[in-house]
Amino acid sequence: MSDRGIAAAGVSVPRGRVSADEVAEAWGTFDGRGIDSTAVPAGDEDAVTMAVAAARRALDNADADPASVDAVALATTTPPLAEEELVPRLVRALRLPRKTRAWHHGQSTAAGADALETALNAEGTVLAVAADAPTGDLAGDDHALGAGAAAFLVDDGASVSFEGVAAATDESPGVRFREADSDEVTSLDITGYERAAVRETTRSAIAGLGLDADDIGAASLPQPNGSMPYRVAGEGVVSNEAVAEGVVVDRIGDAGAATVPIGLVAALESDTDGSVLAAFFGSGGSGVAFALSGRLDTAEAAAVDGGEAVSYVESLRKRGRVVDGDVAGGGANVSLPTWRRTLDSRYALTAGRCPECGSLSFPGEGACDDCFERVEFERVPLSPDGTVAARTIIGQGGAPPEFVELQEREGAYGAVLVRVDAADGDGSALMPAQLTDCDPEEVEVGDAVRRTVRRIYVQEGVPRYGAKFAPVE
């Protein structure tokens, strides 16, 4: 192998958590062995927003300049649109160069392995990101499903090195699939067949690495539930102690293509000795295994723990499973060309500096907020952090029509004016935004907040993303 490896990683897990007990109380059973709780995406979260959050954390942990990124490989089985490239949204939201090469992997839970291997085989600095939020039949398959994202900054000479990659392929349809006209993953529910397919194909891939079980200090294995990774590791393949270092499904649920990558971050942050193993299974079926050496000195896997408890009914509402999303009236009809032209402002990446008086205005179009001259503004990068200057709460019936779906999922939301400094500290601008990931009643003027990317609304069938602000904890 080359000296390419993982320089840094980032994890993003939704704040909401619904317990297995809540689901069992509603249905009389819980179809998710070994799972205590699952992560619940907020009404404005999806694979894109989680991917952006995880990638930003990876860049921050590496102290890397976004301009240094050469490519992005994104893996997801739950894209917000069935056909449209998603990586350009990450490129803009993260302020990456326009020359950034984009790869998009999907189709199975092994897509995270595809993104990692793409980054490994590419040249330069590459972000490999896996983000997913699968759904299933509410009466069964959905019980175990969660959400999350992991991102890896892959580069030469990194602290974590790839020592080997191996694969195995053996046709095994029906283990996990999603029909073309459905949003729900399912299986043929032939339990013994499914277990054998996952176990044998994954073990074959692991065997190709030539590792001794005693040399593996931590491992992230396929984990659609809490028992499967131990079934894969049985019979001397990997020790139970090593497997436990990479198990995250018990706290966030089955996050599809992101589960093994999140577990890999936990394994790479463990204080164990020896190699780190990451093994993926993709229904259909294929197995891919990676051997790595080295560790990451971060605490990204801590995102797996904690969160905020939500009821089962609330979890269904946040995920849009019990709302209709119908919008009455036209709302703010912002054309896509206009939206695209103002993307840097939508993501709160830049403000405009007035050439006449030097003050900052947001969004930096038309007349200067201070001297009122109509000028051609200079674009100025903004800090991700700000301070609440004013706050109000928009209750039911008070929101524009385009935010009806958000209110159906999340209830009343906070609208704020945020004072944000220029990235170089020279001046500040006042910008309007929504709050997210908080109870808006608890946010006060003067509170510190941080920019995050969320879905704003859907118009003409196309999701539109932009900046919101969350309290700094």
Side-chain angles (χ1 to χ4, degrees), residues 22-245:
E22 282 269 348
V23 180
E25 184 176 347
W27 288 100
T29 185
F30 179 77
D31 191 10
R33 183 187 296 272
I35 295 176
D36 299 319
S37 62
T38 59
V40 181
D44 55 0
E45 280 186 294
D46 60 19
V48 171
T49 66
M50 292 187 294
V52 170
R56 180 170 286 146
R57 293 191 64 87
L59 289 169
D60 288 347
N61 285 330
D63 196 21
D65 183 351
S68 68
V69 175
D70 298 295
V72 177
L74 172 65
T76 183
T77 68
T78 56
L81 292 170
E83 182 176 337
E84 184 179 89
E85 179 62 76
L86 299 180
V87 175
R89 297 180 185 268
L90 275 68
V91 168
R92 176 71 72 148
L94 295 168
R95 202 183 281 153
L96 306 183
R98 290 190 65 179
K99 65 180 181 179
T100 302
R101 178 70 170 90
W103 289 285
H104 185 178
H105 302 283
Q107 201 66 24
S108 83
T109 52
D114 296 336
L116 268 176
E117 194 162 7
T118 295
L120 173 62
N121 292 330
E123 295 182 354
T125 304
V126 184
L127 275 168
V129 190
D132 241 347
T135 59
D137 175 21
L138 290 178
D141 291 329
D142 194 69
H143 295 182
L145 299 179
F152 303 91
L153 193 68
V154 177
D155 210 342
D156 298 328
S159 57
V160 173
S161 301
F162 285 96
E163 301 298 334
V165 180
T169 302
D170 188 13
E171 185 176 9
S172 54
V175 174
R176 181 189 183 116
F177 62 93
R178 179 164 57 86
E179 297 183 57
D181 60 350
S182 175
D183 293 330
E184 298 183 354
V185 294
T186 188
S187 72
L188 295 179
D189 201 23
I190 309 173
T191 305
Y193 165 72
E194 294 171 11
R195 289 174 180 167
V198 177
R199 182 179 63 246
E200 301 310 322
T201 304
T202 306
R203 284 183 180 181
S204 294
I206 294 171
L209 294 172
L211 295 175
D212 188 292
D214 293 336
D215 295 332
I216 301 171
S220 179
L221 303 181
Q223 41 193 297
N225 55 50
S227 64
M228 183 60 79
Y230 294 97
R231 292 180 182 274
V232 170
E235 301 176 6
V237 176
V238 185
S239 71
N240 285 345
E241 292 77 13
V243 173
E245 296 291 344

